[in-house]
Amino acid sequence: MAAISKQYSYAMNSNHGFESDNILTVPFHEMNKQLTLNELGNHPQVKAITASSNLPGLVLPNAVKATSNDIDTIDTKQVFVHDQFMENMEIELEWGESESMKKSTQNEEQVLVNQQLIESLKVFNVQKDTLRFTLADGTNCRVVGIVNDFNFEPLTETISPLLIRYSLANSNFALMTVSSSNMKRTISELEDIWLGIDQEQNFHATFLDDEIE
């Protein structure tokens, strides 16, 4: 029991590499995602808002395959994010910048990756450009930013190659940075805004710290 208690304390007090305090998460369900972000973001206690396909600190689903030489493949986890995700979550970039992801075209998707993915690609791609690779579905990716390795998944998981892609359509959660002296009232007001957008979808807000715990 003592060992379990120490592990729990370590996990809750360790730095995952992203901000998790006062981050309120809400599943989109079938909502109009952009409208929902706009309306919730107008609340005075919401200091920042973004979206992602998965919650930081939780296990990511199965990996996708990537290749930089059309022969050898590596497995990489992936997450889809929206505007200001990196900034709001305070995830540090070692090189490049996240805004360039918006400039993707039909022929080339601009992405962020972690250091682990770059190092994995180098093994099979010594002579070629390691900032370009292709996914198993044929998507051509160009790296426009490299993030410092961090624990997007639980601390019990080994840091694996990570691909960060820009897409609101593939995002499943709104993430709000909330500053309030009366959090209960603020959440109630956010629910009222939500119901003003769509009364058929339940408002289910949780704090990211609680999800990680």
CSV table of all heavy atoms in Angstrom, one decimal, residues 99-140:
chain,number,residue,atom,x,y,z
A,99,GLU,N,1.7,27.7,-35.6
A,99,GLU,CA,0.8,28.4,-36.5
A,99,GLU,C,0.9,27.9,-38.0
A,99,GLU,O,-0.1,28.0,-38.7
A,99,GLU,CB,1.0,29.9,-36.5
A,99,GLU,CG,0.5,30.6,-35.2
A,99,GLU,CD,-1.0,30.5,-35.1
A,99,GLU,OE1,-1.7,30.9,-36.0
A,99,GLU,OE2,-1.5,29.9,-34.1
A,100,SER,N,2.1,27.4,-38.4
A,100,SER,CA,2.3,27.0,-39.8
A,100,SER,C,1.4,25.8,-40.1
A,100,SER,O,1.2,25.5,-41.3
A,100,SER,CB,3.7,26.6,-40.0
A,100,SER,OG,4.5,27.8,-40.0
A,101,MET,N,0.9,25.1,-39.1
A,101,MET,CA,0.0,23.9,-39.4
A,101,MET,C,-1.2,24.3,-40.2
A,101,MET,O,-1.7,23.5,-40.9
A,101,MET,CB,-0.4,23.2,-38.1
A,101,MET,CG,0.8,22.5,-37.4
A,101,MET,SD,0.1,21.3,-36.1
A,101,MET,CE,-0.5,22.4,-34.9
A,102,LYS,N,-1.7,25.5,-40.0
A,102,LYS,CA,-2.9,26.0,-40.7
A,102,LYS,C,-2.6,26.1,-42.2
A,102,LYS,O,-3.6,26.2,-43.0
A,102,LYS,CB,-3.3,27.4,-40.2
A,102,LYS,CG,-3.6,27.4,-38.7
A,102,LYS,CD,-4.0,28.8,-38.3
A,102,LYS,CE,-4.3,28.9,-36.8
A,102,LYS,NZ,-4.6,30.3,-36.4
A,103,LYS,N,-1.4,26.1,-42.7
A,103,LYS,CA,-1.1,26.3,-44.1
A,103,LYS,C,-1.0,25.0,-44.9
A,103,LYS,O,-0.5,25.0,-46.0
A,103,LYS,CB,0.3,27.0,-44.2
A,103,LYS,CG,0.3,28.4,-43.5
A,103,LYS,CD,1.6,29.0,-43.6
A,103,LYS,CE,1.7,30.4,-42.8
A,103,LYS,NZ,3.0,31.0,-42.8
A,104,SER,N,-1.6,23.9,-44.3
A,104,SER,CA,-1.6,22.7,-45.0
A,104,SER,C,-2.4,22.8,-46.3
A,104,SER,O,-3.3,23.6,-46.4
A,104,SER,CB,-2.2,21.6,-44.1
A,104,SER,OG,-1.5,21.4,-43.0
A,105,THR,N,-2.0,22.0,-47.3
A,105,THR,CA,-2.7,21.9,-48.6
A,105,THR,C,-3.2,20.5,-48.9
A,105,THR,O,-3.0,19.6,-48.1
A,105,THR,CB,-1.7,22.4,-49.7
A,105,THR,OG1,-0.7,21.3,-49.8
A,105,THR,CG2,-1.1,23.7,-49.4
A,106,GLN,N,-3.8,20.4,-50.0
A,106,GLN,CA,-4.3,19.0,-50.4
A,106,GLN,C,-3.2,18.0,-50.6
A,106,GLN,O,-3.4,16.8,-50.4
A,106,GLN,CB,-5.2,19.1,-51.6
A,106,GLN,CG,-6.5,19.8,-51.4
A,106,GLN,CD,-7.4,19.8,-52.7
A,106,GLN,OE1,-6.9,19.6,-53.8
A,106,GLN,NE2,-8.7,19.9,-52.5
A,107,ASN,N,-2.0,18.6,-51.0
A,107,ASN,CA,-0.9,17.7,-51.3
A,107,ASN,C,0.0,17.5,-50.1
A,107,ASN,O,0.8,16.5,-50.1
A,107,ASN,CB,-0.1,18.2,-52.5
A,107,ASN,CG,-1.0,18.3,-53.7
A,107,ASN,OD1,-1.8,17.4,-54.0
A,107,ASN,ND2,-0.8,19.4,-54.5
A,108,GLU,N,0.0,18.3,-49.1
A,108,GLU,CA,0.9,18.3,-48.0
A,108,GLU,C,0.3,18.8,-46.7
A,108,GLU,O,-0.2,19.9,-46.7
A,108,GLU,CB,2.2,19.1,-48.4
A,108,GLU,CG,3.3,19.0,-47.4
A,108,GLU,CD,4.5,19.9,-47.8
A,108,GLU,OE1,4.4,21.1,-47.7
A,108,GLU,OE2,5.5,19.3,-48.1
A,109,GLU,N,0.4,18.0,-45.7
A,109,GLU,CA,-0.1,18.4,-44.4
A,109,GLU,C,1.1,18.8,-43.5
A,109,GLU,O,2.0,18.1,-43.4
A,109,GLU,CB,-0.9,17.2,-43.7
A,109,GLU,CG,-1.5,17.6,-42.4
A,109,GLU,CD,-2.3,16.5,-41.8
A,109,GLU,OE1,-2.9,15.7,-42.6
A,109,GLU,OE2,-2.5,16.5,-40.6
A,110,GLN,N,1.0,20.0,-43.0
A,110,GLN,CA,2.1,20.5,-42.1
A,110,GLN,C,1.8,20.1,-40.7
A,110,GLN,O,0.6,20.4,-40.2
A,110,GLN,CB,2.2,22.0,-42.3
A,110,GLN,CG,2.5,22.3,-43.8
A,110,GLN,CD,2.9,23.8,-44.0
A,110,GLN,OE1,3.5,24.4,-43.0
A,110,GLN,NE2,2.8,24.3,-45.1
A,111,VAL,N,2.7,19.5,-40.0
A,111,VAL,CA,2.5,18.9,-38.7
A,111,VAL,C,3.6,19.3,-37.7
A,111,VAL,O,4.7,19.8,-38.1
A,111,VAL,CB,2.4,17.4,-38.8
A,111,VAL,CG1,1.3,17.0,-39.8
A,111,VAL,CG2,3.8,16.8,-39.3
A,112,LEU,N,3.3,19.0,-36.4
A,112,LEU,CA,4.3,19.0,-35.4
A,112,LEU,C,4.6,17.6,-35.0
A,112,LEU,O,3.8,16.7,-35.0
A,112,LEU,CB,3.8,19.8,-34.1
A,112,LEU,CG,3.3,21.2,-34.3
A,112,LEU,CD1,2.8,21.8,-33.0
A,112,LEU,CD2,4.4,22.1,-35.0
A,113,VAL,N,5.8,17.4,-34.5
A,113,VAL,CA,6.2,16.0,-34.0
A,113,VAL,C,7.1,16.2,-32.8
A,113,VAL,O,7.6,17.3,-32.5
A,113,VAL,CB,7.0,15.2,-35.1
A,113,VAL,CG1,6.2,15.0,-36.3
A,113,VAL,CG2,8.3,15.9,-35.4
A,114,ASN,N,7.2,15.2,-32.0
A,114,ASN,CA,8.1,15.2,-30.9
A,114,ASN,C,9.5,14.7,-31.3
A,114,ASN,O,9.7,14.2,-32.4
A,114,ASN,CB,7.6,14.5,-29.6
A,114,ASN,CG,7.5,13.0,-29.9
A,114,ASN,OD1,7.8,12.5,-30.9
A,114,ASN,ND2,7.2,12.2,-28.8
A,115,GLN,N,10.5,14.9,-30.4
A,115,GLN,CA,11.9,14.5,-30.7
A,115,GLN,C,12.0,13.0,-31.0
A,115,GLN,O,12.8,12.6,-31.8
A,115,GLN,CB,12.8,14.9,-29.5
A,115,GLN,CG,12.9,16.4,-29.3
A,115,GLN,CD,13.4,16.7,-27.9
A,115,GLN,OE1,13.0,16.2,-26.9
A,115,GLN,NE2,14.4,17.7,-27.9
A,116,GLN,N,11.2,12.2,-30.3
A,116,GLN,CA,11.2,10.8,-30.4
A,116,GLN,C,10.9,10.4,-31.9
A,116,GLN,O,11.5,9.5,-32.4
A,116,GLN,CB,10.2,10.1,-29.5
A,116,GLN,CG,10.7,10.1,-28.0
A,116,GLN,CD,11.8,9.1,-27.8
A,116,GLN,OE1,11.9,8.0,-28.5
A,116,GLN,NE2,12.7,9.3,-26.9
A,117,LEU,N,9.9,11.1,-32.5
A,117,LEU,CA,9.6,10.7,-33.9
A,117,LEU,C,10.7,11.1,-34.8
A,117,LEU,O,11.1,10.3,-35.7
A,117,LEU,CB,8.3,11.4,-34.3
A,117,LEU,CG,7.6,10.9,-35.6
A,117,LEU,CD1,6.1,11.1,-35.5
A,117,LEU,CD2,8.2,11.6,-36.8
A,118,ILE,N,11.3,12.2,-34.6
A,118,ILE,CA,12.4,12.6,-35.5
A,118,ILE,C,13.6,11.6,-35.4
A,118,ILE,O,14.2,11.2,-36.4
A,118,ILE,CB,12.9,14.0,-35.1
A,118,ILE,CG1,11.9,15.1,-35.6
A,118,ILE,CG2,14.3,14.3,-35.8
A,118,ILE,CD1,11.7,15.2,-37.0
A,119,GLU,N,13.9,11.2,-34.2
A,119,GLU,CA,15.0,10.3,-33.9
A,119,GLU,C,14.7,8.9,-34.6
A,119,GLU,O,15.6,8.2,-35.1
A,119,GLU,CB,15.3,10.1,-32.5
A,119,GLU,CG,15.9,11.4,-31.8
A,119,GLU,CD,17.2,11.8,-32.4
A,119,GLU,OE1,18.0,10.9,-32.8
A,119,GLU,OE2,17.3,13.0,-32.7
A,120,SER,N,13.4,8.5,-34.5
A,120,SER,CA,13.0,7.2,-35.1
A,120,SER,C,13.1,7.2,-36.6
A,120,SER,O,13.6,6.3,-37.2
A,120,SER,CB,11.6,6.9,-34.7
A,120,SER,OG,11.5,6.7,-33.3
A,121,LEU,N,12.8,8.4,-37.2
A,121,LEU,CA,12.9,8.5,-38.7
A,121,LEU,C,14.3,8.5,-39.2
A,121,LEU,O,14.6,8.0,-40.2
A,121,LEU,CB,12.1,9.7,-39.1
A,121,LEU,CG,10.6,9.7,-39.0
A,121,LEU,CD1,10.1,11.1,-39.5
A,121,LEU,CD2,10.0,8.6,-39.9
A,122,LYS,N,15.2,9.1,-38.4
A,122,LYS,CA,16.6,9.2,-38.8
A,122,LYS,C,17.2,7.8,-39.0
A,122,LYS,O,18.1,7.7,-39.8
A,122,LYS,CB,17.4,9.9,-37.7
A,122,LYS,CG,17.2,11.4,-37.7
A,122,LYS,CD,18.0,12.1,-36.6
A,122,LYS,CE,17.8,13.6,-36.6
A,122,LYS,NZ,18.7,14.3,-35.6
A,123,VAL,N,16.8,6.8,-38.2
A,123,VAL,CA,17.4,5.5,-38.3
A,123,VAL,C,17.2,4.9,-39.8
A,123,VAL,O,18.2,4.3,-40.3
A,123,VAL,CB,16.7,4.5,-37.4
A,123,VAL,CG1,17.2,3.1,-37.6
A,123,VAL,CG2,16.9,5.0,-35.9
A,124,PHE,N,16.1,5.2,-40.4
A,124,PHE,CA,15.9,4.7,-41.8
A,124,PHE,C,16.1,5.7,-42.9
A,124,PHE,O,15.9,5.4,-44.0
A,124,PHE,CB,14.4,4.2,-41.9
A,124,PHE,CG,14.1,3.2,-40.8
A,124,PHE,CD1,13.1,3.4,-39.9
A,124,PHE,CD2,14.7,1.9,-40.8
A,124,PHE,CE1,12.8,2.4,-38.9
A,124,PHE,CE2,14.4,1.0,-39.9
A,124,PHE,CZ,13.5,1.2,-38.9
A,125,ASN,N,16.4,6.9,-42.5
A,125,ASN,CA,16.4,8.0,-43.5
A,125,ASN,C,17.6,8.9,-43.4
A,125,ASN,O,17.5,10.1,-43.3
A,125,ASN,CB,15.1,8.8,-43.3
A,125,ASN,CG,14.8,9.6,-44.5
A,125,ASN,OD1,15.2,9.3,-45.6
A,125,ASN,ND2,14.0,10.7,-44.3
A,126,VAL,N,18.8,8.3,-43.4
A,126,VAL,CA,20.0,9.1,-43.2
A,126,VAL,C,20.3,10.1,-44.3
A,126,VAL,O,20.7,11.2,-44.0
A,126,VAL,CB,21.2,8.1,-43.0
A,126,VAL,CG1,22.5,8.9,-42.8
A,126,VAL,CG2,21.0,7.1,-41.9
A,127,GLN,N,20.0,9.7,-45.5
A,127,GLN,CA,20.4,10.6,-46.6
A,127,GLN,C,19.3,11.5,-47.1
A,127,GLN,O,19.6,12.5,-47.8
A,127,GLN,CB,20.8,9.7,-47.8
A,127,GLN,CG,21.9,8.7,-47.6
A,127,GLN,CD,23.2,9.4,-47.2
A,127,GLN,OE1,23.5,10.5,-47.7
A,127,GLN,NE2,24.0,8.8,-46.3
A,128,LYS,N,18.1,11.3,-46.6
A,128,LYS,CA,17.0,12.2,-47.1
A,128,LYS,C,16.5,13.1,-46.0
A,128,LYS,O,17.0,13.2,-44.9
A,128,LYS,CB,15.8,11.3,-47.5
A,128,LYS,CG,16.1,10.3,-48.7
A,128,LYS,CD,15.0,9.4,-49.0
A,128,LYS,CE,13.8,10.1,-49.5
A,128,LYS,NZ,12.7,9.2,-49.9
A,129,ASP,N,15.6,14.0,-46.4
A,129,ASP,CA,15.0,15.0,-45.6
A,129,ASP,C,14.2,14.4,-44.5
A,129,ASP,O,13.1,13.8,-44.7
A,129,ASP,CB,14.2,16.0,-46.4
A,129,ASP,CG,13.6,17.1,-45.6
A,129,ASP,OD1,13.9,17.2,-44.4
A,129,ASP,OD2,12.9,18.0,-46.1
A,130,THR,N,14.6,14.4,-43.2
A,130,THR,CA,13.9,13.8,-42.1
A,130,THR,C,12.7,14.6,-41.7
A,130,THR,O,11.9,14.2,-40.8
A,130,THR,CB,14.8,13.6,-40.9
A,130,THR,OG1,15.4,14.9,-40.5
A,130,THR,CG2,15.9,12.6,-41.2
A,131,LEU,N,12.4,15.8,-42.3
A,131,LEU,CA,11.3,16.6,-42.0
A,131,LEU,C,10.1,16.3,-42.9
A,131,LEU,O,9.1,16.9,-42.8
A,131,LEU,CB,11.6,18.1,-42.1
A,131,LEU,CG,12.7,18.6,-41.1
A,131,LEU,CD1,12.9,20.1,-41.2
A,131,LEU,CD2,12.3,18.2,-39.7
A,132,ARG,N,10.2,15.2,-43.7
A,132,ARG,CA,9.1,14.8,-44.5
A,132,ARG,C,8.9,13.3,-44.4
A,132,ARG,O,9.8,12.5,-44.3
A,132,ARG,CB,9.4,15.1,-46.0
A,132,ARG,CG,9.5,16.6,-46.3
A,132,ARG,CD,9.8,16.9,-47.8
A,132,ARG,NE,10.0,18.2,-48.1
A,132,ARG,CZ,9.1,19.2,-48.4
A,132,ARG,NH1,7.8,18.8,-48.4
A,132,ARG,NH2,9.4,20.4,-48.6
A,133,PHE,N,7.6,12.9,-44.3
A,133,PHE,CA,7.3,11.5,-44.2
A,133,PHE,C,5.8,11.3,-44.6
A,133,PHE,O,5.1,12.3,-44.8
A,133,PHE,CB,7.5,11.0,-42.7
A,133,PHE,CG,6.7,11.7,-41.7
A,133,PHE,CD1,5.4,11.2,-41.4
A,133,PHE,CD2,7.2,12.8,-41.0
A,133,PHE,CE1,4.6,11.9,-40.4
A,133,PHE,CE2,6.4,13.5,-40.1
A,133,PHE,CZ,5.2,13.0,-39.8
A,134,THR,N,5.5,10.0,-44.8
A,134,THR,CA,4.2,9.7,-45.4
A,134,THR,C,3.5,8.7,-44.4
A,134,THR,O,4.1,7.8,-43.9
A,134,THR,CB,4.3,9.0,-46.8
A,134,THR,OG1,5.0,9.9,-47.6
A,134,THR,CG2,2.9,8.7,-47.3
A,135,LEU,N,2.2,9.0,-44.2
A,135,LEU,CA,1.4,8.1,-43.4
A,135,LEU,C,0.8,6.9,-44.2
A,135,LEU,O,0.8,7.0,-45.4
A,135,LEU,CB,0.2,8.8,-42.7
A,135,LEU,CG,0.6,10.0,-41.8
A,135,LEU,CD1,-0.6,10.7,-41.2
A,135,LEU,CD2,1.6,9.6,-40.7
A,136,ALA,N,0.4,5.9,-43.5
A,136,ALA,CA,-0.1,4.7,-44.2
A,136,ALA,C,-1.3,5.0,-45.1
A,136,ALA,O,-1.5,4.3,-46.1
A,136,ALA,CB,-0.5,3.6,-43.2
A,137,ASP,N,-2.1,6.0,-44.9
A,137,ASP,CA,-3.2,6.4,-45.7
A,137,ASP,C,-2.8,7.2,-46.9
A,137,ASP,O,-3.7,7.7,-47.7
A,137,ASP,CB,-4.3,7.0,-44.9
A,137,ASP,CG,-3.9,8.4,-44.3
A,137,ASP,OD1,-2.8,8.8,-44.6
A,137,ASP,OD2,-4.7,9.0,-43.6
A,138,GLY,N,-1.5,7.5,-47.1
A,138,GLY,CA,-1.0,8.3,-48.2
A,138,GLY,C,-0.8,9.7,-47.9
A,138,GLY,O,-0.4,10.5,-48.8
A,139,THR,N,-1.1,10.2,-46.7
A,139,THR,CA,-1.0,11.6,-46.4
A,139,THR,C,0.5,12.0,-46.3
A,139,THR,O,1.3,11.4,-45.6
A,139,THR,CB,-1.6,11.9,-45.0
A,139,THR,OG1,-3.0,11.6,-45.0
A,139,THR,CG2,-1.5,13.4,-44.6
A,140,ASN,N,0.9,13.0,-47.1
A,140,ASN,CA,2.3,13.5,-47.1
A,140,ASN,C,2.4,14.6,-46.0
A,140,ASN,O,1.7,15.6,-46.0
A,140,ASN,CB,2.6,14.1,-48.5
A,140,ASN,CG,2.6,13.0,-49.5
A,140,ASN,OD1,3.2,11.9,-49.4
A,140,ASN,ND2,2.0,13.3,-50.7
